[in-house]
Amino acid sequence: MTCCEGWTSCNGFSLLVLLLLGVVLNAIPLIVSLVEEDQFSQNPISCFEWWFPGIIGAGLMAIPATTMSLTARKRACCNNRTGMFLSSLFSVITVIGALYCMLISIQALLKGPLMCNSPGNSNANCEFSLKNISDIHPESFNLQWFFNDSCAPPTGFNKPTSNDTMASGWRASGFHFDSEENKHRLIHFSVFLGLLLVGILELLFGLSQIVIGFLGCLCGVSKRRSQIV
């Protein structure tokens, strides 16, 4: 097995783990909503799990490259030039899915859970638009909805500073499952931070497989394997 085949095999196992992790993370808020309300579509934790960043972006779109890469350990399609080229081509789909997962996760972390942005915690307040995903402002990415004692908009005239916000959020009261708001904030933060990391890792593995796939296509695979296949 050449280095190209070996790296492709490792990529396959890594993508498989990330794929499953992305699906599980995306399913957590959906399952919590189902357990709490006995239905998926009412009172969601946020609007962004319904974009399915982990199930579609980090999950389904990574399946072709994962399947192709895993066959590198066997005497199958990745042990020839065409197979290596296909693994590289399918990795482009993985990269697109990873970028989709990352964009949704960043927007979700920017906005916070649904109860922090609207008085009615319902899907009726969700706006599904690609413009919302692309409209990301780094300067507003401060996670105040997480660090504040409450994510409800302030009613006073004095706006807290960012330092006061962080300090108040990490006081002795901390974050516990003592209220629905804290529970939704913890689940929302944990899920989409995890999906962001999954998306970043899938992006790196996908890009590396594109390079390795083209190298394998140009340089070929091991002669011993080619003769066996």
PDB file of all heavy atoms in Angstrom, residues 66-97:
ATOM      1  N   THR A  66     -16.657   9.015   2.055  1.00  0.00           N
ATOM      2  CA  THR A  66     -16.338   8.065   3.127  1.00  0.00           C
ATOM      3  C   THR A  66     -16.343   6.641   2.598  1.00  0.00           C
ATOM      4  O   THR A  66     -15.421   5.857   2.868  1.00  0.00           O
ATOM      5  CB  THR A  66     -17.360   8.200   4.267  1.00  0.00           C
ATOM      6  OG1 THR A  66     -17.351   9.541   4.765  1.00  0.00           O
ATOM      7  CG2 THR A  66     -17.028   7.250   5.405  1.00  0.00           C
ATOM      8  N   THR A  67     -17.360   6.290   1.844  1.00  0.00           N
ATOM      9  CA  THR A  67     -17.456   4.940   1.279  1.00  0.00           C
ATOM     10  C   THR A  67     -16.297   4.646   0.336  1.00  0.00           C
ATOM     11  O   THR A  67     -15.675   3.578   0.398  1.00  0.00           O
ATOM     12  CB  THR A  67     -18.791   4.782   0.536  1.00  0.00           C
ATOM     13  OG1 THR A  67     -19.873   5.087   1.418  1.00  0.00           O
ATOM     14  CG2 THR A  67     -18.946   3.359   0.015  1.00  0.00           C
ATOM     15  N   MET A  68     -15.985   5.612  -0.521  1.00  0.00           N
ATOM     16  CA  MET A  68     -14.896   5.424  -1.479  1.00  0.00           C
ATOM     17  C   MET A  68     -13.552   5.301  -0.768  1.00  0.00           C
ATOM     18  O   MET A  68     -12.708   4.470  -1.144  1.00  0.00           O
ATOM     19  CB  MET A  68     -14.873   6.599  -2.456  1.00  0.00           C
ATOM     20  CG  MET A  68     -13.817   6.495  -3.545  1.00  0.00           C
ATOM     21  SD  MET A  68     -14.127   5.126  -4.695  1.00  0.00           S
ATOM     22  CE  MET A  68     -15.594   5.703  -5.527  1.00  0.00           C
ATOM     23  N   SER A  69     -13.348   6.101   0.273  1.00  0.00           N
ATOM     24  CA  SER A  69     -12.067   6.066   0.981  1.00  0.00           C
ATOM     25  C   SER A  69     -11.890   4.783   1.785  1.00  0.00           C
ATOM     26  O   SER A  69     -10.780   4.263   1.907  1.00  0.00           O
ATOM     27  CB  SER A  69     -11.948   7.283   1.916  1.00  0.00           C
ATOM     28  OG  SER A  69     -11.980   8.493   1.187  1.00  0.00           O
ATOM     29  N   LEU A  70     -12.971   4.284   2.369  1.00  0.00           N
ATOM     30  CA  LEU A  70     -12.872   3.061   3.166  1.00  0.00           C
ATOM     31  C   LEU A  70     -12.493   1.859   2.322  1.00  0.00           C
ATOM     32  O   LEU A  70     -11.914   0.894   2.838  1.00  0.00           O
ATOM     33  CB  LEU A  70     -14.202   2.791   3.877  1.00  0.00           C
ATOM     34  CG  LEU A  70     -14.515   3.683   5.082  1.00  0.00           C
ATOM     35  CD1 LEU A  70     -15.910   3.401   5.611  1.00  0.00           C
ATOM     36  CD2 LEU A  70     -13.479   3.475   6.183  1.00  0.00           C
ATOM     37  N   THR A  71     -12.794   1.888   1.035  1.00  0.00           N
ATOM     38  CA  THR A  71     -12.447   0.750   0.179  1.00  0.00           C
ATOM     39  C   THR A  71     -10.953   0.689  -0.121  1.00  0.00           C
ATOM     40  O   THR A  71     -10.489  -0.272  -0.740  1.00  0.00           O
ATOM     41  CB  THR A  71     -13.211   0.836  -1.153  1.00  0.00           C
ATOM     42  OG1 THR A  71     -12.911   2.080  -1.795  1.00  0.00           O
ATOM     43  CG2 THR A  71     -14.704   0.743  -0.936  1.00  0.00           C
ATOM     44  N   ALA A  72     -10.204   1.708   0.299  1.00  0.00           N
ATOM     45  CA  ALA A  72      -8.760   1.683   0.052  1.00  0.00           C
ATOM     46  C   ALA A  72      -8.071   0.569   0.824  1.00  0.00           C
ATOM     47  O   ALA A  72      -6.996   0.108   0.444  1.00  0.00           O
ATOM     48  CB  ALA A  72      -8.139   3.029   0.417  1.00  0.00           C
ATOM     49  N   ARG A  73      -8.676   0.122   1.928  1.00  0.00           N
ATOM     50  CA  ARG A  73      -8.079  -0.968   2.705  1.00  0.00           C
ATOM     51  C   ARG A  73      -8.339  -2.328   2.067  1.00  0.00           C
ATOM     52  O   ARG A  73      -7.723  -3.311   2.428  1.00  0.00           O
ATOM     53  CB  ARG A  73      -8.630  -0.959   4.139  1.00  0.00           C
ATOM     54  CG  ARG A  73      -8.094   0.188   4.980  1.00  0.00           C
ATOM     55  CD  ARG A  73      -8.520   0.037   6.417  1.00  0.00           C
ATOM     56  NE  ARG A  73      -7.973  -1.184   7.002  1.00  0.00           N
ATOM     57  CZ  ARG A  73      -6.783  -1.256   7.599  1.00  0.00           C
ATOM     58  NH1 ARG A  73      -6.003  -0.190   7.651  1.00  0.00           N
ATOM     59  NH2 ARG A  73      -6.363  -2.381   8.119  1.00  0.00           N
ATOM     60  N   LYS A  74      -9.292  -2.367   1.156  1.00  0.00           N
ATOM     61  CA  LYS A  74      -9.633  -3.626   0.509  1.00  0.00           C
ATOM     62  C   LYS A  74      -9.130  -3.600  -0.929  1.00  0.00           C
ATOM     63  O   LYS A  74      -8.683  -2.593  -1.436  1.00  0.00           O
ATOM     64  CB  LYS A  74     -11.151  -3.843   0.544  1.00  0.00           C
ATOM     65  CG  LYS A  74     -11.711  -3.873   1.961  1.00  0.00           C
ATOM     66  CD  LYS A  74     -13.207  -4.068   1.941  1.00  0.00           C
ATOM     67  CE  LYS A  74     -13.768  -4.088   3.354  1.00  0.00           C
ATOM     68  NZ  LYS A  74     -15.243  -4.276   3.357  1.00  0.00           N
ATOM     69  N   ARG A  75      -9.232  -4.712  -1.582  1.00  0.00           N
ATOM     70  CA  ARG A  75      -8.803  -4.785  -2.977  1.00  0.00           C
ATOM     71  C   ARG A  75      -9.957  -4.330  -3.860  1.00  0.00           C
ATOM     72  O   ARG A  75     -10.579  -5.110  -4.566  1.00  0.00           O
ATOM     73  CB  ARG A  75      -8.391  -6.209  -3.318  1.00  0.00           C
ATOM     74  CG  ARG A  75      -7.213  -6.660  -2.478  1.00  0.00           C
ATOM     75  CD  ARG A  75      -6.991  -8.145  -2.596  1.00  0.00           C
ATOM     76  NE  ARG A  75      -5.927  -8.589  -1.698  1.00  0.00           N
ATOM     77  CZ  ARG A  75      -5.589  -9.840  -1.513  1.00  0.00           C
ATOM     78  NH1 ARG A  75      -6.215 -10.800  -2.165  1.00  0.00           N
ATOM     79  NH2 ARG A  75      -4.620 -10.164  -0.680  1.00  0.00           N
ATOM     80  N   ALA A  76     -10.237  -3.046  -3.756  1.00  0.00           N
ATOM     81  CA  ALA A  76     -11.422  -2.534  -4.448  1.00  0.00           C
ATOM     82  C   ALA A  76     -11.084  -1.265  -5.202  1.00  0.00           C
ATOM     83  O   ALA A  76      -9.981  -1.067  -5.661  1.00  0.00           O
ATOM     84  CB  ALA A  76     -12.540  -2.300  -3.430  1.00  0.00           C
ATOM     85  N   CYS A  77     -12.058  -0.345  -5.292  1.00  0.00           N
ATOM     86  CA  CYS A  77     -11.986   0.712  -6.293  1.00  0.00           C
ATOM     87  C   CYS A  77     -10.932   1.763  -6.019  1.00  0.00           C
ATOM     88  O   CYS A  77     -10.594   2.513  -6.928  1.00  0.00           O
ATOM     89  CB  CYS A  77     -13.354   1.380  -6.398  1.00  0.00           C
ATOM     90  SG  CYS A  77     -14.020   1.958  -4.843  1.00  0.00           S
ATOM     91  N   CYS A  78     -10.418   1.880  -4.795  1.00  0.00           N
ATOM     92  CA  CYS A  78      -9.413   2.914  -4.557  1.00  0.00           C
ATOM     93  C   CYS A  78      -8.003   2.406  -4.846  1.00  0.00           C
ATOM     94  O   CYS A  78      -7.032   3.120  -4.591  1.00  0.00           O
ATOM     95  CB  CYS A  78      -9.487   3.420  -3.114  1.00  0.00           C
ATOM     96  SG  CYS A  78     -10.525   4.878  -2.956  1.00  0.00           S
ATOM     97  N   ASN A  79      -7.876   1.192  -5.347  1.00  0.00           N
ATOM     98  CA  ASN A  79      -6.554   0.656  -5.640  1.00  0.00           C
ATOM     99  C   ASN A  79      -6.206   0.794  -7.121  1.00  0.00           C
ATOM    100  O   ASN A  79      -5.460  -0.002  -7.669  1.00  0.00           O
ATOM    101  CB  ASN A  79      -6.496  -0.823  -5.216  1.00  0.00           C
ATOM    102  CG  ASN A  79      -6.656  -0.958  -3.726  1.00  0.00           C
ATOM    103  OD1 ASN A  79      -6.079  -0.193  -2.970  1.00  0.00           O
ATOM    104  ND2 ASN A  79      -7.462  -1.921  -3.299  1.00  0.00           N
ATOM    105  N   ASN A  80      -6.740   1.794  -7.763  1.00  0.00           N
ATOM    106  CA  ASN A  80      -6.389   2.108  -9.145  1.00  0.00           C
ATOM    107  C   ASN A  80      -6.523   3.615  -9.336  1.00  0.00           C
ATOM    108  O   ASN A  80      -7.067   4.325  -8.498  1.00  0.00           O
ATOM    109  CB  ASN A  80      -7.261   1.320 -10.130  1.00  0.00           C
ATOM    110  CG  ASN A  80      -8.741   1.520  -9.861  1.00  0.00           C
ATOM    111  OD1 ASN A  80      -9.244   2.621  -9.996  1.00  0.00           O
ATOM    112  ND2 ASN A  80      -9.434   0.452  -9.484  1.00  0.00           N
ATOM    113  N   ARG A  81      -6.032   4.084 -10.469  1.00  0.00           N
ATOM    114  CA  ARG A  81      -6.016   5.526 -10.728  1.00  0.00           C
ATOM    115  C   ARG A  81      -7.429   6.112 -10.777  1.00  0.00           C
ATOM    116  O   ARG A  81      -7.685   7.191 -10.264  1.00  0.00           O
ATOM    117  CB  ARG A  81      -5.285   5.807 -12.042  1.00  0.00           C
ATOM    118  CG  ARG A  81      -3.795   5.489 -12.002  1.00  0.00           C
ATOM    119  CD  ARG A  81      -3.182   5.697 -13.384  1.00  0.00           C
ATOM    120  NE  ARG A  81      -1.789   5.285 -13.411  1.00  0.00           N
ATOM    121  CZ  ARG A  81      -0.761   6.105 -13.185  1.00  0.00           C
ATOM    122  NH1 ARG A  81      -0.983   7.377 -12.907  1.00  0.00           N
ATOM    123  NH2 ARG A  81       0.484   5.655 -13.240  1.00  0.00           N
ATOM    124  N   THR A  82      -8.336   5.388 -11.402  1.00  0.00           N
ATOM    125  CA  THR A  82      -9.711   5.873 -11.505  1.00  0.00           C
ATOM    126  C   THR A  82     -10.347   6.009 -10.124  1.00  0.00           C
ATOM    127  O   THR A  82     -11.051   6.986  -9.838  1.00  0.00           O
ATOM    128  CB  THR A  82     -10.552   4.927 -12.375  1.00  0.00           C
ATOM    129  OG1 THR A  82      -9.947   4.806 -13.657  1.00  0.00           O
ATOM    130  CG2 THR A  82     -11.967   5.454 -12.521  1.00  0.00           C
ATOM    131  N   GLY A  83     -10.094   5.024  -9.263  1.00  0.00           N
ATOM    132  CA  GLY A  83     -10.648   5.065  -7.913  1.00  0.00           C
ATOM    133  C   GLY A  83     -10.122   6.244  -7.114  1.00  0.00           C
ATOM    134  O   GLY A  83     -10.869   6.911  -6.387  1.00  0.00           O
ATOM    135  N   MET A  84      -8.822   6.508  -7.236  1.00  0.00           N
ATOM    136  CA  MET A  84      -8.243   7.648  -6.523  1.00  0.00           C
ATOM    137  C   MET A  84      -8.816   8.960  -7.042  1.00  0.00           C
ATOM    138  O   MET A  84      -9.066   9.898  -6.270  1.00  0.00           O
ATOM    139  CB  MET A  84      -6.723   7.635  -6.667  1.00  0.00           C
ATOM    140  CG  MET A  84      -6.045   6.438  -6.005  1.00  0.00           C
ATOM    141  SD  MET A  84      -6.357   6.318  -4.223  1.00  0.00           S
ATOM    142  CE  MET A  84      -5.478   7.758  -3.620  1.00  0.00           C
ATOM    143  N   PHE A  85      -9.044   9.033  -8.352  1.00  0.00           N
ATOM    144  CA  PHE A  85      -9.650  10.245  -8.912  1.00  0.00           C
ATOM    145  C   PHE A  85     -11.075  10.429  -8.409  1.00  0.00           C
ATOM    146  O   PHE A  85     -11.493  11.545  -8.064  1.00  0.00           O
ATOM    147  CB  PHE A  85      -9.639  10.176 -10.437  1.00  0.00           C
ATOM    148  CG  PHE A  85     -10.371  11.316 -11.093  1.00  0.00           C
ATOM    149  CD1 PHE A  85      -9.783  12.568 -11.181  1.00  0.00           C
ATOM    150  CD2 PHE A  85     -11.637  11.118 -11.614  1.00  0.00           C
ATOM    151  CE1 PHE A  85     -10.459  13.623 -11.779  1.00  0.00           C
ATOM    152  CE2 PHE A  85     -12.314  12.169 -12.213  1.00  0.00           C
ATOM    153  CZ  PHE A  85     -11.725  13.427 -12.288  1.00  0.00           C
ATOM    154  N   LEU A  86     -11.836   9.329  -8.322  1.00  0.00           N
ATOM    155  CA  LEU A  86     -13.207   9.413  -7.829  1.00  0.00           C
ATOM    156  C   LEU A  86     -13.247   9.817  -6.355  1.00  0.00           C
ATOM    157  O   LEU A  86     -14.122  10.576  -5.929  1.00  0.00           O
ATOM    158  CB  LEU A  86     -13.921   8.077  -8.044  1.00  0.00           C
ATOM    159  CG  LEU A  86     -14.289   7.730  -9.482  1.00  0.00           C
ATOM    160  CD1 LEU A  86     -14.914   6.347  -9.557  1.00  0.00           C
ATOM    161  CD2 LEU A  86     -15.234   8.771 -10.063  1.00  0.00           C
ATOM    162  N   SER A  87     -12.291   9.295  -5.569  1.00  0.00           N
ATOM    163  CA  SER A  87     -12.245   9.674  -4.154  1.00  0.00           C
ATOM    164  C   SER A  87     -11.980  11.166  -4.007  1.00  0.00           C
ATOM    165  O   SER A  87     -12.524  11.824  -3.116  1.00  0.00           O
ATOM    166  CB  SER A  87     -11.167   8.868  -3.428  1.00  0.00           C
ATOM    167  OG  SER A  87      -9.862   9.282  -3.807  1.00  0.00           O
ATOM    168  N   SER A  88     -11.155  11.697  -4.886  1.00  0.00           N
ATOM    169  CA  SER A  88     -10.892  13.131  -4.880  1.00  0.00           C
ATOM    170  C   SER A  88     -12.124  13.916  -5.309  1.00  0.00           C
ATOM    171  O   SER A  88     -12.451  14.957  -4.720  1.00  0.00           O
ATOM    172  CB  SER A  88      -9.715  13.446  -5.812  1.00  0.00           C
ATOM    173  OG  SER A  88      -9.420  14.814  -5.818  1.00  0.00           O
ATOM    174  N   LEU A  89     -12.825  13.407  -6.307  1.00  0.00           N
ATOM    175  CA  LEU A  89     -14.017  14.087  -6.817  1.00  0.00           C
ATOM    176  C   LEU A  89     -15.135  14.088  -5.771  1.00  0.00           C
ATOM    177  O   LEU A  89     -15.785  15.118  -5.541  1.00  0.00           O
ATOM    178  CB  LEU A  89     -14.493  13.401  -8.093  1.00  0.00           C
ATOM    179  CG  LEU A  89     -15.607  14.091  -8.876  1.00  0.00           C
ATOM    180  CD1 LEU A  89     -15.153  15.465  -9.371  1.00  0.00           C
ATOM    181  CD2 LEU A  89     -16.052  13.219 -10.039  1.00  0.00           C
ATOM    182  N   PHE A  90     -15.336  12.944  -5.110  1.00  0.00           N
ATOM    183  CA  PHE A  90     -16.375  12.866  -4.082  1.00  0.00           C
ATOM    184  C   PHE A  90     -16.035  13.737  -2.866  1.00  0.00           C
ATOM    185  O   PHE A  90     -16.930  14.183  -2.151  1.00  0.00           O
ATOM    186  CB  PHE A  90     -16.576  11.414  -3.641  1.00  0.00           C
ATOM    187  CG  PHE A  90     -17.280  10.566  -4.665  1.00  0.00           C
ATOM    188  CD1 PHE A  90     -17.002   9.217  -4.777  1.00  0.00           C
ATOM    189  CD2 PHE A  90     -18.215  11.118  -5.528  1.00  0.00           C
ATOM    190  CE1 PHE A  90     -17.642   8.431  -5.719  1.00  0.00           C
ATOM    191  CE2 PHE A  90     -18.869  10.348  -6.476  1.00  0.00           C
ATOM    192  CZ  PHE A  90     -18.585   9.001  -6.569  1.00  0.00           C
ATOM    193  N   SER A  91     -14.746  13.965  -2.647  1.00  0.00           N
ATOM    194  CA  SER A  91     -14.341  14.804  -1.516  1.00  0.00           C
ATOM    195  C   SER A  91     -14.751  16.255  -1.716  1.00  0.00           C
ATOM    196  O   SER A  91     -14.892  17.004  -0.743  1.00  0.00           O
ATOM    197  CB  SER A  91     -12.823  14.713  -1.311  1.00  0.00           C
ATOM    198  OG  SER A  91     -12.444  13.421  -0.895  1.00  0.00           O
ATOM    199  N   VAL A  92     -14.949  16.658  -2.965  1.00  0.00           N
ATOM    200  CA  VAL A  92     -15.453  18.013  -3.231  1.00  0.00           C
ATOM    201  C   VAL A  92     -16.853  18.164  -2.621  1.00  0.00           C
ATOM    202  O   VAL A  92     -17.191  19.206  -2.048  1.00  0.00           O
ATOM    203  CB  VAL A  92     -15.481  18.289  -4.742  1.00  0.00           C
ATOM    204  CG1 VAL A  92     -16.113  19.648  -5.030  1.00  0.00           C
ATOM    205  CG2 VAL A  92     -14.072  18.231  -5.320  1.00  0.00           C
ATOM    206  N   ILE A  93     -17.674  17.114  -2.732  1.00  0.00           N
ATOM    207  CA  ILE A  93     -19.008  17.129  -2.120  1.00  0.00           C
ATOM    208  C   ILE A  93     -18.886  17.233  -0.607  1.00  0.00           C
ATOM    209  O   ILE A  93     -19.653  17.958   0.045  1.00  0.00           O
ATOM    210  CB  ILE A  93     -19.794  15.869  -2.525  1.00  0.00           C
ATOM    211  CG1 ILE A  93     -19.889  15.755  -4.041  1.00  0.00           C
ATOM    212  CG2 ILE A  93     -21.181  15.872  -1.895  1.00  0.00           C
ATOM    213  CD1 ILE A  93     -20.569  14.495  -4.526  1.00  0.00           C
ATOM    214  N   THR A  94     -17.903  16.515  -0.041  1.00  0.00           N
ATOM    215  CA  THR A  94     -17.677  16.590   1.408  1.00  0.00           C
ATOM    216  C   THR A  94     -17.305  18.002   1.827  1.00  0.00           C
ATOM    217  O   THR A  94     -17.782  18.503   2.853  1.00  0.00           O
ATOM    218  CB  THR A  94     -16.564  15.612   1.814  1.00  0.00           C
ATOM    219  OG1 THR A  94     -16.950  14.275   1.459  1.00  0.00           O
ATOM    220  CG2 THR A  94     -16.301  15.672   3.310  1.00  0.00           C
ATOM    221  N   VAL A  95     -16.453  18.653   1.056  1.00  0.00           N
ATOM    222  CA  VAL A  95     -16.041  20.028   1.375  1.00  0.00           C
ATOM    223  C   VAL A  95     -17.241  20.972   1.338  1.00  0.00           C
ATOM    224  O   VAL A  95     -17.401  21.825   2.223  1.00  0.00           O
ATOM    225  CB  VAL A  95     -14.949  20.487   0.390  1.00  0.00           C
ATOM    226  CG1 VAL A  95     -14.697  21.990   0.530  1.00  0.00           C
ATOM    227  CG2 VAL A  95     -13.658  19.715   0.642  1.00  0.00           C
ATOM    228  N   ILE A  96     -18.091  20.812   0.346  1.00  0.00           N
ATOM    229  CA  ILE A  96     -19.291  21.655   0.245  1.00  0.00           C
ATOM    230  C   ILE A  96     -20.200  21.426   1.453  1.00  0.00           C
ATOM    231  O   ILE A  96     -20.723  22.371   2.060  1.00  0.00           O
ATOM    232  CB  ILE A  96     -20.037  21.380  -1.060  1.00  0.00           C
ATOM    233  CG1 ILE A  96     -19.172  21.779  -2.266  1.00  0.00           C
ATOM    234  CG2 ILE A  96     -21.368  22.124  -1.099  1.00  0.00           C
ATOM    235  CD1 ILE A  96     -19.774  21.402  -3.607  1.00  0.00           C
ATOM    236  N   GLY A  97     -20.389  20.152   1.825  1.00  0.00           N
ATOM    237  CA  GLY A  97     -21.205  19.839   2.991  1.00  0.00           C
ATOM    238  C   GLY A  97     -20.612  20.370   4.282  1.00  0.00           C
ATOM    239  O   GLY A  97     -21.335  20.860   5.159  1.00  0.00           O
TER     240      GLY A  97
END
